[in-house]
């Protein structure tokens, strides 16, 4: 059976078991399964720092000229920002039309809060200064992805500039990247167990009753994510990249499901990188740059959620927002999504920034906090699909997408990852 089917079955079983345990008053049993999921999350996290570093250095070092790097960077940034702005606008439009906040009992909703630990959002200056590591080893040790990207890009450029003398270093990184990809395959094959445990835990903890008072807001975020993914990404893949959109979603399904359960785009990054390369035929040169960057700065799902939540809170508190306030939300949420870390619940912290920008009551964050995990599942899932979409678009425009690999049925490629993981027979999809 293919990996995505196994993950899908695990997710469904976890959901059913979790709801049953919750309804029968056995939420503690659901919670006791969580460590299996945590083990999977830890194993994936273990991969992130070495995987990003070695694959990005290897990718950059394989560039023929540095102008390509600049072009790649510019396209990636522009697409990430533009799509984020579109996502918030969809979120705003849906909440304006469906009015999820009208008639909400603020007291009751806040009472169901399970996690109102809201910390300060970082300033923009801090975010920019924080891009450059003063000590790369510290960046590795603390897992600061943006700083690792900056160091890896500069290191890779230096390899190109150093020329022949740097050949051994380049070869080392090429080979280390292969090893990290192999290790990633092995760990991803355990995804079904991790996904099952996490899903059981979430469904067991929340149950259905807790979601009822805010069902409309949950519905808006899920609907918005579905519209953005199907219409915006699907449309771009079909009409701009001229690729089959169905294959795109099939190829992205593993990272989508892992992100849905672990609610961390950074924590899904190894799975996303593997899917982009093996399922979507994107060259490692493009995926190793565009995806780690996306996992840290591109948060379309988060931005959409902030749009929905801001309007929801305004409606719940009876505040009328003006057009300029809506524009402020679009701008702040786009910038906030860049500064949002790809970790669980980070979007909730940045929501306070968005609310402050238009003078909405910060207590609104506490209402959302109670259901944030449920919202985080869909928004993180969409964050990683967004990363995959931009990766395909950039790769296609650079001639770095192997269409034969993209069009090959998913089934074969998933089996190749898992069942022949140790045989060394996988085709090298890197376009050098
Ligand atoms: N959990 C999200 C992610 O990792 C960020 C967020 O909280 O919105 O992409």
């Amino acid at each position: 059976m293919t990996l995505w089917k196994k993950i899908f079955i695990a997710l469904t079983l976890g959901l059913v078991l979790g709801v049953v345990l919750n309804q029968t008053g056995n939420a503690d049993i659901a919670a006791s399964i969580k460590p299996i999921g945590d083990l999977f999350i830890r194993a994936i996290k273990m991969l992130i720092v070495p995987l990003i570093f070695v694959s990005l250095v290897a990718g950059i070092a394989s560039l023929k000229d540095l102008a390509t790097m600049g072009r790649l960077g510019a396209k990636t940034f522009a697409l990430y920002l533009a799509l984020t702005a579109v996502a918030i606008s969809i979120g705003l439009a849906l909440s304006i039309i469906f009015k999820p906040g009208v008639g909400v009992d603020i007291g009751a909703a806040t009472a169901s809060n399970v996690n109102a630990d809201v910390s300060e959002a970082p300033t923009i200056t801090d975010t920019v200064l924080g891009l450059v590591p003063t000590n790369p080893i510290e960046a590795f040790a603390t897992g600061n992805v943006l700083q690792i990207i900056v160091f890896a890009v500069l290191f890779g450029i230096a390899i190109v500039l150093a020329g022949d003398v740097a050949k051994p270093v380049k070869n080392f990184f090429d080979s280390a990247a292969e090893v990290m990809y192999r290790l990633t395959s092995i760990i991803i094959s355990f995804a079904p167990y991790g996904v099952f445990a996490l899903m059981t835990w979430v469904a067991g903890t929340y149950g259905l009753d807790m979601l009822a008072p805010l069902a409309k807001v949950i519905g808006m975020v899920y609907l918005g994510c579905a519209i953005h993914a199907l219409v915006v990404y699907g449309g771009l893949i079909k009409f701009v990249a001229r690729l089959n959109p169905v294959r795109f979603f099939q190829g992205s399904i593993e990272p989508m499901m892992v992100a849905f359960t672990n609610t961390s785009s950074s924590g899904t990054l190894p799975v996303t990188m593997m899917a982009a390369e093996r399922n979507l035929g994107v060259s490692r040169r493009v995926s190793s740059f565009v995806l780690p960057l996306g996992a840290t700065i591109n948060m379309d799902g988060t931005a959409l959620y902030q749009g929905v939540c801001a309007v929801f809170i305004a409606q719940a508190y009876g505040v009328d927002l003006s057009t300029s306030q809506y524009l402020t939300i679009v701008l702040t949420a786009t910038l906030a999504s860049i500064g949002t870390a790809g970790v669980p619940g980070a979007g909730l912290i940045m929501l306070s920034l968005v609310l402050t920008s238009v003078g909405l009551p910060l207590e609104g964050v506490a209402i959302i906090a109670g259901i944030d995990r449920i919202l985080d599942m869909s928004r993180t899932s969409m964050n990683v699909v967004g990363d995959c979409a931009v990766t395909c678009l950039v790769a296609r425009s650079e001639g770095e997408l192997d269409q034969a690999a993209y069009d090959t049925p998913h089934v074969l490629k998933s089996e190749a990852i898992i069942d022949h993981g140790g045989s060394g027979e996988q085709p090298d999809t890197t376009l050098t």
Side-chain angles (χ1 to χ4, degrees), residues 263-266 295 298-299 301-302 305 340-348 372 376 379-380 383:
T263 64
S264 165
S265 8
S266 295
N298 180 50
M299 308 269 162
T302 302
Y305 143 92
T340 307
V343 296
L348 183 71
D372 197 59
D376 207 357
R379 66 182 191 249
T380 309
N383 289 343

PDB file of all heavy atoms in Angstrom, residues 263-266 295 298-299 301-302 305 340-348 372 376 379-380 383, ligand 1:
ATOM      1  N   THR A 263       0.815  20.243  12.989  1.00  0.00           N
ATOM      2  CA  THR A 263       0.634  21.705  12.984  1.00  0.00           C
ATOM      3  C   THR A 263       1.952  22.489  13.011  1.00  0.00           C
ATOM      4  O   THR A 263       2.060  23.495  13.684  1.00  0.00           O
ATOM      5  CB  THR A 263      -0.265  22.202  14.155  1.00  0.00           C
ATOM      6  OG1 THR A 263       0.387  21.928  15.386  1.00  0.00           O
ATOM      7  CG2 THR A 263      -1.626  21.575  14.141  1.00  0.00           C
ATOM      8  N   SER A 264       2.910  22.027  12.254  1.00  0.00           N
ATOM      9  CA  SER A 264       4.157  22.781  12.159  1.00  0.00           C
ATOM     10  C   SER A 264       4.724  22.660  10.752  1.00  0.00           C
ATOM     11  O   SER A 264       5.058  21.555  10.318  1.00  0.00           O
ATOM     12  CB  SER A 264       5.155  22.242  13.179  1.00  0.00           C
ATOM     13  OG  SER A 264       6.444  22.706  12.881  1.00  0.00           O
ATOM     14  N   SER A 265       4.804  23.797  10.022  1.00  0.00           N
ATOM     15  CA  SER A 265       5.370  23.680   8.670  1.00  0.00           C
ATOM     16  C   SER A 265       6.856  23.395   8.739  1.00  0.00           C
ATOM     17  O   SER A 265       7.379  22.683   7.888  1.00  0.00           O
ATOM     18  CB  SER A 265       5.116  24.877   7.763  1.00  0.00           C
ATOM     19  OG  SER A 265       4.561  25.947   8.375  1.00  0.00           O
ATOM     20  N   SER A 266       7.535  23.938   9.741  1.00  0.00           N
ATOM     21  CA  SER A 266       8.964  23.601   9.860  1.00  0.00           C
ATOM     22  C   SER A 266       9.120  22.126  10.190  1.00  0.00           C
ATOM     23  O   SER A 266       9.981  21.451   9.637  1.00  0.00           O
ATOM     24  CB  SER A 266       9.624  24.412  10.967  1.00  0.00           C
ATOM     25  OG  SER A 266       9.611  25.750  10.630  1.00  0.00           O
ATOM     26  N   ALA A 295       8.785  27.462   4.451  1.00  0.00           N
ATOM     27  CA  ALA A 295       8.361  26.953   5.753  1.00  0.00           C
ATOM     28  C   ALA A 295       8.519  28.015   6.833  1.00  0.00           C
ATOM     29  O   ALA A 295       7.864  27.960   7.863  1.00  0.00           O
ATOM     30  CB  ALA A 295       9.170  25.711   6.122  1.00  0.00           C
ATOM     31  N   ASN A 298       6.462  31.776   4.402  1.00  0.00           N
ATOM     32  CA  ASN A 298       5.220  31.750   3.622  1.00  0.00           C
ATOM     33  C   ASN A 298       4.109  31.060   4.400  1.00  0.00           C
ATOM     34  O   ASN A 298       4.187  29.861   4.662  1.00  0.00           O
ATOM     35  CB  ASN A 298       5.439  31.008   2.309  1.00  0.00           C
ATOM     36  CG  ASN A 298       4.180  30.962   1.477  1.00  0.00           C
ATOM     37  OD1 ASN A 298       3.538  31.997   1.263  1.00  0.00           O
ATOM     38  ND2 ASN A 298       3.784  29.793   1.027  1.00  0.00           N
ATOM     39  N   MET A 299       3.123  31.815   4.798  1.00  0.00           N
ATOM     40  CA  MET A 299       2.063  31.261   5.641  1.00  0.00           C
ATOM     41  C   MET A 299       0.715  31.731   5.106  1.00  0.00           C
ATOM     42  O   MET A 299       0.081  32.616   5.688  1.00  0.00           O
ATOM     43  CB  MET A 299       2.211  31.782   7.083  1.00  0.00           C
ATOM     44  CG  MET A 299       3.565  31.600   7.679  1.00  0.00           C
ATOM     45  SD  MET A 299       3.666  30.050   8.549  1.00  0.00           S
ATOM     46  CE  MET A 299       5.411  29.858   8.664  1.00  0.00           C
ATOM     47  N   GLY A 301      -2.062  30.017   4.863  1.00  0.00           N
ATOM     48  CA  GLY A 301      -3.140  29.538   5.730  1.00  0.00           C
ATOM     49  C   GLY A 301      -3.234  30.414   6.972  1.00  0.00           C
ATOM     50  O   GLY A 301      -4.327  30.801   7.409  1.00  0.00           O
ATOM     51  N   THR A 302      -2.090  30.762   7.517  1.00  0.00           N
ATOM     52  CA  THR A 302      -2.053  31.591   8.720  1.00  0.00           C
ATOM     53  C   THR A 302      -2.638  32.970   8.422  1.00  0.00           C
ATOM     54  O   THR A 302      -3.417  33.527   9.203  1.00  0.00           O
ATOM     55  CB  THR A 302      -0.591  31.716   9.210  1.00  0.00           C
ATOM     56  OG1 THR A 302      -0.099  30.398   9.444  1.00  0.00           O
ATOM     57  CG2 THR A 302      -0.488  32.551  10.462  1.00  0.00           C
ATOM     58  N   TYR A 305      -6.363  32.763   8.060  1.00  0.00           N
ATOM     59  CA  TYR A 305      -6.937  32.592   9.406  1.00  0.00           C
ATOM     60  C   TYR A 305      -6.973  33.932  10.151  1.00  0.00           C
ATOM     61  O   TYR A 305      -7.933  34.254  10.834  1.00  0.00           O
ATOM     62  CB  TYR A 305      -6.087  31.538  10.112  1.00  0.00           C
ATOM     63  CG  TYR A 305      -5.817  31.697  11.582  1.00  0.00           C
ATOM     64  CD1 TYR A 305      -6.657  31.099  12.521  1.00  0.00           C
ATOM     65  CD2 TYR A 305      -4.700  32.387  12.040  1.00  0.00           C
ATOM     66  CE1 TYR A 305      -6.376  31.203  13.878  1.00  0.00           C
ATOM     67  CE2 TYR A 305      -4.415  32.494  13.388  1.00  0.00           C
ATOM     68  CZ  TYR A 305      -5.256  31.913  14.308  1.00  0.00           C
ATOM     69  OH  TYR A 305      -4.984  32.022  15.639  1.00  0.00           O
ATOM     70  N   THR A 340       5.960  34.924  11.274  1.00  0.00           N
ATOM     71  CA  THR A 340       5.416  33.811  12.055  1.00  0.00           C
ATOM     72  C   THR A 340       6.317  32.588  11.891  1.00  0.00           C
ATOM     73  O   THR A 340       6.624  32.192  10.768  1.00  0.00           O
ATOM     74  CB  THR A 340       4.008  33.437  11.538  1.00  0.00           C
ATOM     75  OG1 THR A 340       3.214  34.616  11.510  1.00  0.00           O
ATOM     76  CG2 THR A 340       3.337  32.417  12.435  1.00  0.00           C
ATOM     77  N   ALA A 341       6.717  32.011  13.010  1.00  0.00           N
ATOM     78  CA  ALA A 341       7.548  30.810  12.911  1.00  0.00           C
ATOM     79  C   ALA A 341       6.664  29.645  12.497  1.00  0.00           C
ATOM     80  O   ALA A 341       5.471  29.627  12.812  1.00  0.00           O
ATOM     81  CB  ALA A 341       8.185  30.525  14.263  1.00  0.00           C
ATOM     82  N   GLY A 342       7.246  28.669  11.791  1.00  0.00           N
ATOM     83  CA  GLY A 342       6.435  27.520  11.356  1.00  0.00           C
ATOM     84  C   GLY A 342       6.292  26.489  12.458  1.00  0.00           C
ATOM     85  O   GLY A 342       6.627  25.322  12.280  1.00  0.00           O
ATOM     86  N   VAL A 343       5.825  26.932  13.601  1.00  0.00           N
ATOM     87  CA  VAL A 343       5.663  26.013  14.739  1.00  0.00           C
ATOM     88  C   VAL A 343       4.216  26.075  15.236  1.00  0.00           C
ATOM     89  O   VAL A 343       3.513  27.046  14.959  1.00  0.00           O
ATOM     90  CB  VAL A 343       6.625  26.372  15.895  1.00  0.00           C
ATOM     91  CG1 VAL A 343       8.067  26.210  15.463  1.00  0.00           C
ATOM     92  CG2 VAL A 343       6.375  27.775  16.409  1.00  0.00           C
ATOM     93  N   PRO A 344       3.767  25.078  15.989  1.00  0.00           N
ATOM     94  CA  PRO A 344       2.369  25.079  16.421  1.00  0.00           C
ATOM     95  C   PRO A 344       1.992  26.349  17.184  1.00  0.00           C
ATOM     96  O   PRO A 344       2.730  26.809  18.052  1.00  0.00           O
ATOM     97  CB  PRO A 344       2.292  23.859  17.352  1.00  0.00           C
ATOM     98  CG  PRO A 344       3.389  22.963  16.900  1.00  0.00           C
ATOM     99  CD  PRO A 344       4.470  23.869  16.413  1.00  0.00           C
ATOM    100  N   GLY A 345       0.862  26.905  16.806  1.00  0.00           N
ATOM    101  CA  GLY A 345       0.305  28.030  17.560  1.00  0.00           C
ATOM    102  C   GLY A 345       0.948  29.381  17.316  1.00  0.00           C
ATOM    103  O   GLY A 345       0.521  30.381  17.899  1.00  0.00           O
ATOM    104  N   ALA A 346       1.957  29.462  16.446  1.00  0.00           N
ATOM    105  CA  ALA A 346       2.649  30.743  16.248  1.00  0.00           C
ATOM    106  C   ALA A 346       1.701  31.793  15.665  1.00  0.00           C
ATOM    107  O   ALA A 346       1.796  32.979  15.983  1.00  0.00           O
ATOM    108  CB  ALA A 346       3.845  30.564  15.338  1.00  0.00           C
ATOM    109  N   GLY A 347       0.768  31.353  14.827  1.00  0.00           N
ATOM    110  CA  GLY A 347      -0.158  32.285  14.193  1.00  0.00           C
ATOM    111  C   GLY A 347      -1.029  33.004  15.209  1.00  0.00           C
ATOM    112  O   GLY A 347      -1.418  34.161  15.012  1.00  0.00           O
ATOM    113  N   LEU A 348      -1.314  32.340  16.313  1.00  0.00           N
ATOM    114  CA  LEU A 348      -2.159  32.943  17.348  1.00  0.00           C
ATOM    115  C   LEU A 348      -1.442  34.128  17.991  1.00  0.00           C
ATOM    116  O   LEU A 348      -2.054  35.156  18.288  1.00  0.00           O
ATOM    117  CB  LEU A 348      -2.496  31.887  18.411  1.00  0.00           C
ATOM    118  CG  LEU A 348      -3.437  32.353  19.513  1.00  0.00           C
ATOM    119  CD1 LEU A 348      -4.845  32.542  18.969  1.00  0.00           C
ATOM    120  CD2 LEU A 348      -3.462  31.356  20.660  1.00  0.00           C
ATOM    121  N   ASP A 372      -7.741  26.967  18.858  1.00  0.00           N
ATOM    122  CA  ASP A 372      -6.650  27.268  17.927  1.00  0.00           C
ATOM    123  C   ASP A 372      -6.032  26.031  17.285  1.00  0.00           C
ATOM    124  O   ASP A 372      -5.638  26.061  16.130  1.00  0.00           O
ATOM    125  CB  ASP A 372      -5.568  28.110  18.597  1.00  0.00           C
ATOM    126  CG  ASP A 372      -4.687  28.742  17.548  1.00  0.00           C
ATOM    127  OD1 ASP A 372      -5.227  29.488  16.721  1.00  0.00           O
ATOM    128  OD2 ASP A 372      -3.486  28.442  17.499  1.00  0.00           O
ATOM    129  N   ASP A 376      -5.292  25.566  13.551  1.00  0.00           N
ATOM    130  CA  ASP A 376      -3.882  25.409  13.181  1.00  0.00           C
ATOM    131  C   ASP A 376      -3.701  24.232  12.214  1.00  0.00           C
ATOM    132  O   ASP A 376      -2.860  24.259  11.318  1.00  0.00           O
ATOM    133  CB  ASP A 376      -3.061  25.182  14.461  1.00  0.00           C
ATOM    134  CG  ASP A 376      -1.612  25.636  14.320  1.00  0.00           C
ATOM    135  OD1 ASP A 376      -1.244  26.058  13.216  1.00  0.00           O
ATOM    136  OD2 ASP A 376      -0.860  25.554  15.304  1.00  0.00           O
ATOM    137  N   ARG A 379      -4.721  25.484   8.750  1.00  0.00           N
ATOM    138  CA  ARG A 379      -3.876  26.547   8.189  1.00  0.00           C
ATOM    139  C   ARG A 379      -2.460  26.049   7.917  1.00  0.00           C
ATOM    140  O   ARG A 379      -1.833  26.426   6.922  1.00  0.00           O
ATOM    141  CB  ARG A 379      -3.869  27.798   9.072  1.00  0.00           C
ATOM    142  CG  ARG A 379      -3.238  27.672  10.435  1.00  0.00           C
ATOM    143  CD  ARG A 379      -3.349  28.981  11.205  1.00  0.00           C
ATOM    144  NE  ARG A 379      -2.543  28.970  12.408  1.00  0.00           N
ATOM    145  CZ  ARG A 379      -3.011  28.947  13.639  1.00  0.00           C
ATOM    146  NH1 ARG A 379      -4.313  28.921  13.865  1.00  0.00           N
ATOM    147  NH2 ARG A 379      -2.193  28.951  14.673  1.00  0.00           N
ATOM    148  N   THR A 380      -1.950  25.155   8.783  1.00  0.00           N
ATOM    149  CA  THR A 380      -0.594  24.648   8.547  1.00  0.00           C
ATOM    150  C   THR A 380      -0.569  23.783   7.290  1.00  0.00           C
ATOM    151  O   THR A 380       0.353  23.845   6.481  1.00  0.00           O
ATOM    152  CB  THR A 380      -0.107  23.828   9.756  1.00  0.00           C
ATOM    153  OG1 THR A 380      -0.292  24.604  10.930  1.00  0.00           O
ATOM    154  CG2 THR A 380       1.355  23.462   9.633  1.00  0.00           C
ATOM    155  N   ASN A 383      -0.439  26.049   4.564  1.00  0.00           N
ATOM    156  CA  ASN A 383       0.884  26.675   4.460  1.00  0.00           C
ATOM    157  C   ASN A 383       1.835  25.797   3.650  1.00  0.00           C
ATOM    158  O   ASN A 383       2.560  26.280   2.787  1.00  0.00           O
ATOM    159  CB  ASN A 383       1.485  26.907   5.856  1.00  0.00           C
ATOM    160  CG  ASN A 383       0.768  28.018   6.613  1.00  0.00           C
ATOM    161  OD1 ASN A 383       0.045  28.809   6.029  1.00  0.00           O
ATOM    162  ND2 ASN A 383       0.957  28.078   7.922  1.00  0.00           N
TER     163      ASN A 383
HETATM  164  N1  LIG B   1       1.459  26.286  12.785  1.00  0.00           N
HETATM  165  C1  LIG B   1       1.661  27.115  11.639  1.00  0.00           C
HETATM  166  C2  LIG B   1       2.761  26.560  10.793  1.00  0.00           C
HETATM  167  O1  LIG B   1       3.629  25.901  11.289  1.00  0.00           O
HETATM  168  C3  LIG B   1       1.939  28.526  11.987  1.00  0.00           C
HETATM  169  C4  LIG B   1       0.730  29.084  12.637  1.00  0.00           C
HETATM  170  O2  LIG B   1       0.552  28.897  13.837  1.00  0.00           O
HETATM  171  O3  LIG B   1      -0.089  29.693  11.946  1.00  0.00           O
HETATM  172  O4  LIG B   1       2.787  26.788   9.611  1.00  0.00           O
END
